[in-house]
Amino acid sequence: EVQLVESGGGLVQPGGSLRLSCAASGFTFSSYDMHWVRQGTGKGLEWVSTIGTSGDTYYPGSVKGRFTLSRENSKNSLYLQMNSLRDGDTAVYFCVRGDTMVQGVIPSYYYVMDVWGQGTTVTVSS
Amino acid sequence: DIQMTQSPSSLSASVGDRVAITCRASQSISSYLNWYQQKPGKAPKLLIYAASSLQSGVPSRFSGSGSGTDFTLTISSLQPEDFATYYCQESYSNPPWTFGQGTKVEIK
């Protein structure tokens, strides 16, 4: 069974740090991009970070310079180091697998987020 | 960055109703549009990719249409298990991956 299991969430004070982990199973972890997507309480989905199969990373401006994403393929694991945490970082953080769907005789490639973990909750509060 | 706007933000419908949710992109994204379903307390689930392709295992009452800037998710006959929040997402930029703000489908 393809599965992603997040851990590491908790309560942290503003300015503090937290490291989230995601354990993958049931697929060849090293062959896939991986993402973190977060959701504040009662809010929508927000992309947080991406790591490609080559280790290239991408972040939105809201977390760039504060969050660092890494992967350890030998352990089928993904890590999100979050520093200088703010109230606005309070959310459920989902670990997500990215994949490419191919369509057409002349192939077109469509990117999807097709496997999601159950999420881990991060609360930033004094 | 591309902005994604869904409408309505919420709707009330009855079992058996036909429901349509729209998503508009701030610029043309061709058919690079995904739809996700999220039930309370659960992770989102991929429903449709490439604007109109059904993900494996998704019931055929779900369908997607559109290209360019305007897209629609249609549920042909709403079932009790379909009450959820639906999000569109553009996959044109890569990154970022921008979601719409969501549409909550509630029981009338």
Side-chain angles (χ1 to χ4, degrees), chain B residues 22-97:
Chain B
T22 64
C23 177
R24 175 165 289 176
S26 59
Q27 67 181 69
S28 177
I29 58 171
S30 184
S31 297
Y32 294 94
L33 192 282
N34 304 324
W35 289 98
Y36 298 85
Q37 175 195 62
Q38 186 180 31
K39 297 181 180 179
K42 301 294 186 182
K45 170 188 170 184
L46 176 66
L47 291 180
I48 288 172
Y49 63 95
S52 61
S53 295
L54 218 57
Q55 172 68 338
S56 176
V58 174
S60 58
R61 62 181 179 273
F62 290 93
S63 64
S65 63
S67 67
T69 60
D70 294 315
F71 303 87
T72 302
L73 172 69
T74 302
I75 309 173
S76 60
S77 177
L78 198 65
Q79 298 302 300
E81 60 268 30
D82 301 337
F83 292 96
T85 300
Y86 294 85
Y87 294 92
C88 64
Q89 177 202 37
E90 62 89 6
S91 61
Y92 181 86
S93 306
N94 299 347
W97 286 269

Side-chain angles (χ1 to χ4, degrees), chain A residues 7-13 15-21 66-68 79-85 89-91 93 120-124:
Chain A
S7 60
L11 174 64
V12 61
Q13 292 188 338
S17 298
L18 210 56
R19 188 195 197 207
L20 305 184
S21 299
R66 300 189 298 123
F67 289 12
T68 303
Y79 306 105
L80 183 65
Q81 178 66 44
M82 304 186 296
N83 298 331
S84 304
L85 283 162
D89 297 318
T90 294
Y93 284 71
T120 188
T121 301
V122 172
T123 303
V124 183

Side-chain angles (χ1 to χ4, degrees), chain A residues 35 37 39 43-47 50 58 94 101 103 109-114 116-117, chain B residues 31-32 34 36 38 42-44 46 49-50 53 55 87 89 91 94-97 99:
Chain A
H35 311 267
V37 174
Q39 185 171 39
K43 297 189 176 180
L45 301 169
E46 180 188 14
W47 166 67
T50 296
Y58 306 89
F94 295 101
M101 312 298 259
Q103 273 203 332
Y109 301 89
Y110 297 91
Y111 198 84
V112 298
M113 294 184 176
D114 68 338
W116 296 63
Chain B
S31 297
Y32 294 94
N34 304 324
Y36 298 85
Q38 186 180 31
K42 301 294 186 182
L46 176 66
Y49 63 95
S53 295
Q55 172 68 338
Y87 294 92
Q89 177 202 37
S91 61
N94 299 347
W97 286 269
F99 294 89

